[in-house]
Structures are given as C-alpha cells and as structure tokens.
Amino acid sequence: LIFVIVSAVPAGYQRATGAELRLTPPGEADTQGARHCLDSLEGIELYYPPGWGVGYEGLGRNTFACFESYAWMHNRYGAYGIGDGRFFDAVIPNAVDPAKWSMADSDGYALFVGRLISRKGPDIAGEIARAVGMPLVLAGGGVQSVEEHMTNPPRGPRRITATDGTVITGDVTHVGAVSGDDRRWLFAHAEVLICPTRYIGPWEGVHAEAMMSGVGVVAPDYGVFTETLPAGYRYRTLNQAVAAVHAGRATRGEAWRD
C-alpha cells in the first residue's frame, strides 16, 4: 500500500523540482517497494515523513489528521498529550468490498492471519485454540522453524518458532503468506478468526475480511475491536476468549456480513 498525496507539494517546490507527486509509504517494506518501482520514473519525488499525517504513529501538531478508528484517535491524542478535542480531525474506517469475499462451509479450523511476531499474538491464538480444542491455521510470514512432535493423530501437535522467538504450539499448521484466491478460500472455510493483538489495534483489516466471509471474530477488549465487535466476542481472560470462540462459531454465517 502506498499513499499518493496529490496537491500536497507546494507550487514553488513543484516548479523548482518538477515533481508533481510525493509518495509516502507507511512501512519499511512498502518504502523499499516504492523505491524499486519508482527508480526508473522521472518527475516523482519519494518523501519519507518524520511522522504520519494520517495519525498512524506520529501526529503533526499543526496539521489535521485522519484516523482509522476512534480508538486510535484517542490513543494518539493521549500519546501526544492532546487534552482537548480537535474539531477538524476525522475518523474514516478502511473500506472492505463484500464482493471480493465469499462464504463457504466451515472446515472446522481457527484462523490467525498476520506476521508471526509477538505483538500480533500468534502464541495467544495457539493458547486459545488449544483451550477450545480446535486446530489452528497460521497464515503469514516470519517462521524460523517447524518441529513435528506427533505420530498420531496426523494434525499435531507441532512447535512453530517465529523469527522473533515467539513460540506457537499445539495442533497448528503454518501455510505461509496468502493472497488472492488462496486468501479468500482460507477465510471462507475458517470456523473462526482469532485476532489477538497485544498492541492497540488501529484497524486490523483481517478482522473485517473475516466478517465479509461470514466468519466470527474473537479479539481483545481494546483498540478498534471495541467499535466493531459486540462485547461477547471480546476478551480480557482466557475463559472469556474461549466463550467468545463458542459465540463466534454459533453465529457463523450471513449475520457477520451484516
């Protein structure tokens, strides 16, 4: 994803450099991708901002900002010591096109989608899945090793170690990063999505993709989830997470798209 900022460059800057666009990639991987794509183009300036005008991590003191959720807006206000409201800031949730997602019969697995790093909570997903007695499918990059500890049954248990040292154990399968039709299929056939971020989630697009696939979502009781999920699908304890999984399984289907 690359944010293309049009008309954000002062006219004098454009006249001096000939650049008509500035591209502000939101992450290191995107920065590298943008650089690779734009190396051969003329008249386009890559700009690496010290903060984020969209209120993602940084927040410009003298600019207005757009946030992905009210939870994230309040988080950034607190982080930057802003005690008064700012009238012209805005909250615009990310869009998800229902037509790009489909529903199907469940294959009975819990799903985790995201980089396998501690802050994303794949180990928490493993703990919840074990407590419920469900197989867990991990989709995302960042695996260092997979150790097999089973002879029978054929689905587990396993020990998966991520590159940052996070360990996920149990009846767990890693399918790597997925996109396109593979991603659509994986969501459509999941029984429930576990989205156990340790950080305050600004938006967490995977949970919206799950909803559009008719799949129930289980997530912590903070961040954007307080705006998108009813209380019964959010947790603070393992017991609450288990109850949320059962609730998500019971309501799987069209209701989640609505």
Side-chain angles (χ1 to χ4, degrees), residues 17-249:
T17 65
E20 296 183 358
L21 302 176
R22 281 192 293 181
L23 305 182
T24 59
E28 179 58 29
D30 301 303
T31 296
Q32 294 173 2
R35 185 182 297 115
H36 176 77
C37 293
L38 297 172
D39 274 347
S40 61
L41 301 180
E42 297 181 358
I44 296 180
E45 174 80 8
L46 263 184
Y47 173 60
Y48 309 100
W52 297 93
V54 293
Y56 192 72
E57 277 294 339
L59 184 63
R61 283 285 185 172
N62 299 313
T63 63
F64 301 119
C66 177
F67 303 87
E68 297 172 284
S69 62
Y70 286 95
W72 193 244
M73 179 183 73
H74 295 144
N75 176 285
R76 293 296 86 194
Y77 282 2
Y80 282 80
I82 298 172
D84 296 333
R86 308 198 320 176
F87 288 112
F88 294 99
D89 285 353
V91 172
I92 304 177
N94 286 334
V96 180
D97 185 356
K100 294 183 178 180
W101 302 93
S102 57
M103 297 191 300
D105 292 338
S106 170
D107 280 357
Y109 56 84
L111 179 64
F112 170 94
V113 180
R115 286 171 294 143
L116 271 68
I117 58 174
S118 176
R119 296 195 75 208
K120 290 279 189 180
D123 52 326
I124 298 175
E127 184 177 5
I128 294 171
R130 289 196 307 274
V132 179
M134 294 181 69
L136 174 67
V137 173
L138 300 170
V143 167
Q144 178 174 294
S145 64
V146 178
E147 300 175 33
E148 304 286 350
H149 288 293
M150 51 76 166
T151 55
N152 187 48
R155 296 193 70 171
R158 292 181 175 88
R159 175 186 173 93
I160 295 178
T161 303
T163 53
D164 73 347
T166 301
V167 174
I168 308 99
T169 59
D171 186 357
V172 56
T173 301
H174 179 242
V175 297
V178 291
S179 61
D181 290 340
D182 291 337
R183 188 181 183 92
R184 226 173 352 260
W185 189 96
L186 200 61
F187 274 105
H189 290 271
E191 178 79 0
V192 67
L193 177 80
I194 303 176
C195 195
T197 58
R198 287 184 164 94
Y199 57 85
I200 306 297
W203 175 246
E204 310 315 302
V206 296
H207 90 291
E209 294 170 352
M211 291 183 193
M212 292 301 100
S213 305
V215 173
V217 178
V218 173
D221 187 32
Y222 47 73
V224 64
F225 306 119
T226 62
E227 300 172 39
T228 57
L229 297 178
Y233 303 98
R234 307 194 305 262
Y235 65 84
R236 294 276 180 172
T237 67
L238 181 59
N239 284 343
Q240 290 175 348
V242 169
V245 168
H246 290 311
R249 299 176 76 177

